């Protein structure tokens, strides 16, 4: 299926008029360690397991690994609840293992960015333990509020369901947690907290890492006085704990720690609008932001967990959102999946056209302007799983939200939200990586911590790498093409046929270099009738072997995706 005409690519001339940054030219690969590769047979992925796969990553051609949290953690939220920022979780290995991974990645010119989770810690963190005992400087490290045990300080809801406050018997006060009760929010108003975080950031930078992905970073600054929230909003109170009054200031203070290091910083901002992104990036702030508006294309106004409205989306709306990101954000971050999102091929593709859908999404991801992020398993087209009941769910968010829906009477039982869970749960991305067709997809020799998707006998790395027409090779070819072509990295983006309900087509232009990308994002054939004013276009990559050489007036088959030079 993959057709890559390497003769048609040329060496890019070294231009001087481009603001070149390694992280603009890089393709990033995200690893969720628990589910990537288990080296010691305890059923849990680990750091030596990742080190075993560095040649795999090198073959794929990626430049950066984003490693989800590997720090010490009691795993209330799979590592996003950190109990010691300077130690490695036992299940994942040792600091020496981590150092070896870094060395092996660097030996292959692959950089490493770590996950920085500083909106909250674990309840087990010694800061929280000392804070609940009101010890010394730690007394105000968290958001503590007076009140009687039967009445939370206000009506704020946790993003994981239930109230955002938990009463701590030991201290006799309520503490704030925007996520799980095991993830108390740090009090960023306290300069000691900010200084302790900066010290920890510097400690990791000195170990030689290449940057950070900053978790839930838009929540650092809460509104003063903990007012009540809008009771009709999907998450009550979020307007008071997203993009708060001091966020920009805290980010600049944090950014000062990166000065003098050659890093990439990418902040996760679940609630940032497209036009807010540039306010948070630049010289004295973060380099880039994950902006999520395109990921809301298939959800209604009540957000992703509305049992009445999910899974319907319009191509014209997706094009509009991506085009806005392309045109309005200085340097976008490109992604269609991550460890919190369903699998892109299940969400935006069609089951009967699995390989074509997966390669179409890959083509879009790797030919837009911005820094692309591939989430583990996307390169083999891993799909959503089926979960038959809450007992099969690991994700605290899915469990909490479903329990809330039942408690609020929005649904009566799991049965009524089964389809929504099987569409939306974060667990779809967390099933183990499918390496080959042997038991448990060769992720582990023992019982895996989480069930492997049943389709591993067909969808696995070994099978796809033994077929040069596969999705895997399509990713490899697209990454190689992007590395060779400045126009695909830095070129301007121009959308064609904005209202067409089958084609997503656009041009990428850098001076006299121009690419045209034609994606038929539908299960039906369609005729491409845009006047692209080019008669001598060359097909560079396509996901059908005999795609049209000159697109105008030609028919494109279901999910056909072609990159032309013209
Ligand atoms: C971010 C992470 C998510 C985690 C949450 C709390 O959204 O991506 O996995 O649950 O923050 O840390």
């Amino acid at each position: 299926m993959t057709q890559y005409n390497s003769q048609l690519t040329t060496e890019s001339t070294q231009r001087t008029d481009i603001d070149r940054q390694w992280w603009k030219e890089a393709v990033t690969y995200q690893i969720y360690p628990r589910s990537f590769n288990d080296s010691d047979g305890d059923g849990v992925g680990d750091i030596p397991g990742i080190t075993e796969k560095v040649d795999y990553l090198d073959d794929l051609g990626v430049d950066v690994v984003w490693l989800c949290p590997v720090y010490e953690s009691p795993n209330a939220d799979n590592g996003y609840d950190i109990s010691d920022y300077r130690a490695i979780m036992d299940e994942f290995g040792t600091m020496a293992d981590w150092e070896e991974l870094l060395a092996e990645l660097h030996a292959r010119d692959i950089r490493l960015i770590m996950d920085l989770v500083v909106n909250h810690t674990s309840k087990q963190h010694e800061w929280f333990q000392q804070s609940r005992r009101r010890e010394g400087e730690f007394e105000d490290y968290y958001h503590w509020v007076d009140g009687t045990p039967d009445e939370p300080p206000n009506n704020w809801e946790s993003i994981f369901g239930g109230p955002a406050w938990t009463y701590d018997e030991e201290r006799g006060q309520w503490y704030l947690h925007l996520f799980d009760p095991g993830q108390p929010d740090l009090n960023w108003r306290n300069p000691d907290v900010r200084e302790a975080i900066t010290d920890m950031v510097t400690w990791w930078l000195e170990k030689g890492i290449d940057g950070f992905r900053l978790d839930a970073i838009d929540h650092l600054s809460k509104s003063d006085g903990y007012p009540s929230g809008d009771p009709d909003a999907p998450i009550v109170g979020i307007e008071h704990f997203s993009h708060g009054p001091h966020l920009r200031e805290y980010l600049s203070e944090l950014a000062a720690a990166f000065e003098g290091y050659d890093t990439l910083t990418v902040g996760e901002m679940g609630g940032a609008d497209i036009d807010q992104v540039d306010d948070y990036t630049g010289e004295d702030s973060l380099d880039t932001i994950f902006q999520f508006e395109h990921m809301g294309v298939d959800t209604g106004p009540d957000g992703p967990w509305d049992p009445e409205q999910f899974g319907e989306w319009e191509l014209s709306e997706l094009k509009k959102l991506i085009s806005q990101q392309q045109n309005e954000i200085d340097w976008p971050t490109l992604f269609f999946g991550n460890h919190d999102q369903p699998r892109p091929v299940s969400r935006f593709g069609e089951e009967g056209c699995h390989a074509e859908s997966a390669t179409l999404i890959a083509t879009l991801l790797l030919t837009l302007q911005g820094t692309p992020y591939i989430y583990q398993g996307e390169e083999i087209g891993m799909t959503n799983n089926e979960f038959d009941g809450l007992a099969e769910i690991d994700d605290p968010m899915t469990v909490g939200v479903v329990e809330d829906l039942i408690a609020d009477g929005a649904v009566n039982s799991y049965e009524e939200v089964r389809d929504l869970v099987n569409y939306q749960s974060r667990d779809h991305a967390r099933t183990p990586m499918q390496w080959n067709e042997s038991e448990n997809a060769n992720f582990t020799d023992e019982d895996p911590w989480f069930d492997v998707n049943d389709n591993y006998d067909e969808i696995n790395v070994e099978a796809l790498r033994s077929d040069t027409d596969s999705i895997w090779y399509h990713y490899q070819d697209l990454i190689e093409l992007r590395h060779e072509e400045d126009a695909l990295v830095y070129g301007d983006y121009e959308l064609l046929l904005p209202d067409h309900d089958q084609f997503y087509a656009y041009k990428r232009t850098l001076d006299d270099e121009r690419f045209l990308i034609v994606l038929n994002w539908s299960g039906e054939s369609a005729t491409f009738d845009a006047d692209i004013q080019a008669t001598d276009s060359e097909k560079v990559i396509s996901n059908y072997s005999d795609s049209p050489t000159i697109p105008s007036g030609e028919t494109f088959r279901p999910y056909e995706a072609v990159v032309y030079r013209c």
Side-chain angles (χ1 to χ4, degrees), residues 544-563:
Y544 280 75
S545 57
D546 51 352
S547 293
T549 316
I550 296 175
S552 294
E554 294 289 340
T555 299
F556 286 74
R557 287 151 292 181
Y559 295 92
E560 189 156 9
V562 191
V563 180

Side-chain angles (χ1 to χ4, degrees), residues 291-306:
Q291 203 280 332
F292 284 81
E293 232 158 313
H294 63 302
M295 299 309 275
V297 71
D298 53 352
T299 66
D302 288 341
W305 286 101
D306 178 357

Side-chain angles (χ1 to χ4, degrees), residues 230 241 342 485 502:
D230 171 3
F241 52 75
E485 299 295 343
Q502 286 173 280

Side-chain angles (χ1 to χ4, degrees), residues 132-151:
R132 63 165 19 157
R133 296 193 295 267
R134 299 177 191 265
E135 281 174 15
E137 64 173 286
F138 300 103
E139 177 162 1
D140 293 327
Y141 258 46
Y142 295 84
H143 295 269
W144 293 105
V145 176
D146 285 336
T148 52
D150 53 343
E151 170 117 35

Side-chain angles (χ1 to χ4, degrees), residues 269-289:
M269 287 204 176
D273 295 336
I274 291 171
D275 60 7
Q276 282 178 303
V277 170
D278 287 352
D279 295 344
Y280 294 115
T281 55
E283 289 276 288
D284 63 341
S285 192
L286 305 177
D287 295 319
T288 54
I289 299 288

Side-chain angles (χ1 to χ4, degrees), residues 77 80 120 160 179 183 213 215 268 339-340 426 430:
D77 185 23
Y80 281 92
H120 44 268
F160 283 0
F179 296 91
Q183 294 169 298
R213 175 262 187 185
D215 184 72
E268 182 206 28
H339 65 295
D340 295 330
R426 306 197 302 174
R430 300 172 183 191

